[in-house]
Amino acid sequence: MLDAEDIVGTARPDEKAIMTYVSSFYHAFSGAQKAETAANRICKVLAVNQENERLMEDYEKLASDLLEWIRRTIPWLENRLPENTMHAMQQKLEDFRDYRRLHKPPKVQEKCQLEINFNTLQTKLRLSNRPAFTPSEGRMVSDINNAWGCLEQAEKGYEEWLLNEIRRLERLDHLAEKFRQKASIHEAWTDGKEAMLRHKDYETATLSEIKALLKKHEAFESDLAAHQDRVEQIAAIAQELNELDYYDSPSVNARCQRICDQWDNLGALTQKRREALERTEKLLETIDQLYLEYAKRAAPFNNWMEGAMEDLQDTFIVHTIEEIQGLTTAHEQFKATLPDADKERLAILGIHNEVSKIVQTYHVNMAGTNPYTTITPQEINGKWDHVRQLVPRRDQALMEEHARQQHNERLRKQFAAQANVIGPWIQTKMEEIGRISIEMHGTLEDQLSHLRQYEKSIVNYKPKIDQLEGDHQLIQEALIFDNKHTNYTMEHIRVGWEQLLTTIARTINEVENQILTRDAKGISQEQMNEFRASFNHFDRKKTGMMDTDDFRACLISMGYNMGEAEFARIMSIVDPNRLGVVTFQAFIDFMSRETADTDTADQVMASFKILAGDKNYITVDELRRELPPDQAEYCIARMAPYTGPDAVPGALDYMSFSTALYGESDL
């Protein structure tokens, strides 16, 4: 309808022509579009209707299948026919678990899907202005829910029934197993009991064997009585199995009856055997009494002989005369009992001879020997002969030991006689030397002379110590470990002798040092006596040394007024080794230093201060001007620089130098 030339061939197409052409197109095609829309509407309505019909058919089929499955399943769940065995019931329980685990979950899903489909269908019908869907009779959702509820109820009852049945069968199986176990134990216990009760072993038994058989039979009767309760338990279990309708009750009842019949028979046989054993026992009691009397008297007599042999052969270790005398007395007492022991031996042998006479006279069947003892008459006679042989041997051994102990006693007394003299002599000398060292009789030379005389007498006493050592050697060789005649041992004597030698040597050395100190310091004898008197007065423990408190009290008594620092300085002088004590020699050194007219550090410092023009320091020029050259250079080389607030270049510290000269500080 449009010509291209009318549009393209002109610079500006005619608008009216164009609109005419376009309206012609519209009117030509608008009728065809209305027909297509109408057809589409019809198709859409039919498609919705078809889908709804399909959903209705699916619902009907799914509902029918689900109801049919419920109808088939409920009778299975309502079946309450019990099984006889636990295995069958467990299989039912396993089937029920498979139903719960495998079969029911899909049906639950189907029921849920059915409700979803029903709700979806009703929604689509309502949206498409269709009437609501009404399922066929008996297939409503409510019908399905009711049927499902019946299924759930049957399922719950079925599960409870299964569990109750399993518990019942467990109880029955437990009782049946308990019955079989107790019955088996009882039958195992009764096995061989009838043959044992019928056995006539008592006809050839001795009395001890008869008594043993009676004890054994009494034990069996006690055991039999104890098993009465087990038999009653077996019967009670069988009765309970019957009451619970156990499927295998006939075999249980038959076995229970066999056990009860056997039990009655065992009771009768037990009574019969007891009567036979008691009759046999009385026949052998007379001989047994003799055997028993023999055993009662032979055993202690045999023990006495074994003890006697052991004592007679026992080695003894004694250390004193009293101990060997005690052993000798005990041996004499033992020999005095031998005649009575021989009488007892003959009496025991007489009992055995009487038994032999009865056996020969009455032809008694005596199987074996005396059941109460293994001691034979031959053994008694052999041990008795051995005892008689050991007695003189013991006599000889005791006599030899007595002689040895007499010799040891002589050695003890010989050692004690010397030790009791030497020990006190050493102690006396120690005390005399101590008195000489602290007393003030005569001059120091007199004390030294007196001490040397003591030293000579001590050295001259050495042979007696050597003699005592010899006696001690004899005691050790004789293995003598104690000596009641003296409290001194050789070790005590040696230690005392060594202390005596050390003390006399140390005391002589102290007096010699005191003489040297006196001569060097120019101390008079009167001053030495005063020093000794002061020292002895404050030596409260009389040990020849003052402790710290004693020395402090001594200084205070002499007018020293000092603090802790000053006292510590003095102690460092008198006790350089820090032993906590002050000896008389250190005391003399200190006192001589305090009383002598000697230079001190303070005096030297005062002299330097004069040279320095009353300053706290001194210069090199001042030293070289006031002192000889060599001494000036000595001071310059050893004086430390002065560091006080008033110091000048080249100032030297003469105070520290002065204290160092007297050992009161480091140079």
Side-chain angles (χ1 to χ4, degrees), residues 391-593:
V391 169
R393 298 179 189 173
R394 185 71 169 186
D395 291 335
Q396 181 64 28
L398 289 172
M399 291 174 61
E400 293 174 355
E401 182 61 27
H402 189 271
R404 191 176 75 86
Q405 288 302 324
Q406 286 179 333
H407 174 70
N408 289 349
E409 185 66 12
R410 287 193 297 270
L411 291 178
R412 289 190 187 95
K413 291 180 178 180
Q414 181 176 337
F415 176 85
Q418 297 184 73
N420 289 336
V421 173
I422 294 174
W425 182 87
I426 292 175
Q427 184 64 30
T428 301
K429 292 300 178 182
M430 290 284 290
E431 294 173 356
E432 291 176 354
I433 293 170
R435 284 197 300 271
I436 292 173
S437 64
I438 63 174
E439 289 177 354
M440 298 174 291
H441 300 303
T443 63
L444 291 177
E445 286 77 5
D446 295 338
Q447 294 180 15
L448 181 60
S449 175
H450 198 182
L451 287 172
R452 291 193 183 282
Q453 293 176 3
Y454 266 88
E455 183 181 27
K456 184 177 180 181
S457 66
I458 290 170
V459 172
N460 294 335
Y461 204 78
K462 184 64 167 59
K464 294 185 178 180
I465 302 296
D466 296 338
Q467 182 180 356
L468 188 64
E469 285 282 3
D471 293 341
H472 178 67
Q473 181 67 27
L474 295 176
I475 285 179
Q476 286 186 322
E477 292 173 356
L479 300 178
I480 299 173
F481 303 106
D482 56 356
N483 193 340
K484 66 179 181 179
H485 303 294
T486 180
N487 293 325
Y488 294 99
T489 65
M490 195 62 224
E491 186 63 26
H492 293 154
I493 298 297
R494 290 194 192 104
V495 171
W497 177 253
E498 292 170 359
Q499 288 179 348
L500 180 61
L501 294 177
T502 302
T503 300
I504 188 63
R506 185 180 64 249
T507 305
I508 290 173
N509 179 256
E510 288 178 355
V511 174
E512 289 175 344
N513 289 335
Q514 291 174 23
I515 292 172
L516 291 175
T517 302
R518 181 199 64 188
D519 295 341
K521 301 294 184 178
I523 301 173
S524 66
Q525 184 62 41
E526 289 75 12
Q527 287 179 314
M528 288 294 295
N529 292 339
E530 290 177 3
F531 292 159
R532 171 57 74 180
S534 297
F535 187 88
N536 291 343
H537 176 74
F538 287 97
D539 179 15
R540 291 176 296 178
K541 298 179 181 178
K542 303 306 178 185
T543 59
M545 293 180 289
M546 285 191 291
D547 58 22
T548 306
D549 294 337
D550 294 340
F551 185 58
R552 184 193 298 271
C554 181
L555 293 178
I556 293 173
S557 69
M558 290 189 296
Y560 281 86
N561 187 10
M562 61 205 160
E564 290 295 331
E566 178 63 17
F567 181 71
R569 184 188 68 81
I570 295 174
M571 281 300 297
S572 67
I573 296 173
V574 299
D575 183 22
N577 296 325
R578 300 182 182 278
L579 300 177
V581 294
V582 179
T583 64
F584 182 64
Q585 184 62 41
F587 180 72
I588 292 175
D589 292 340
F590 173 75
M591 293 304 297
S592 62
R593 185 184 307 169

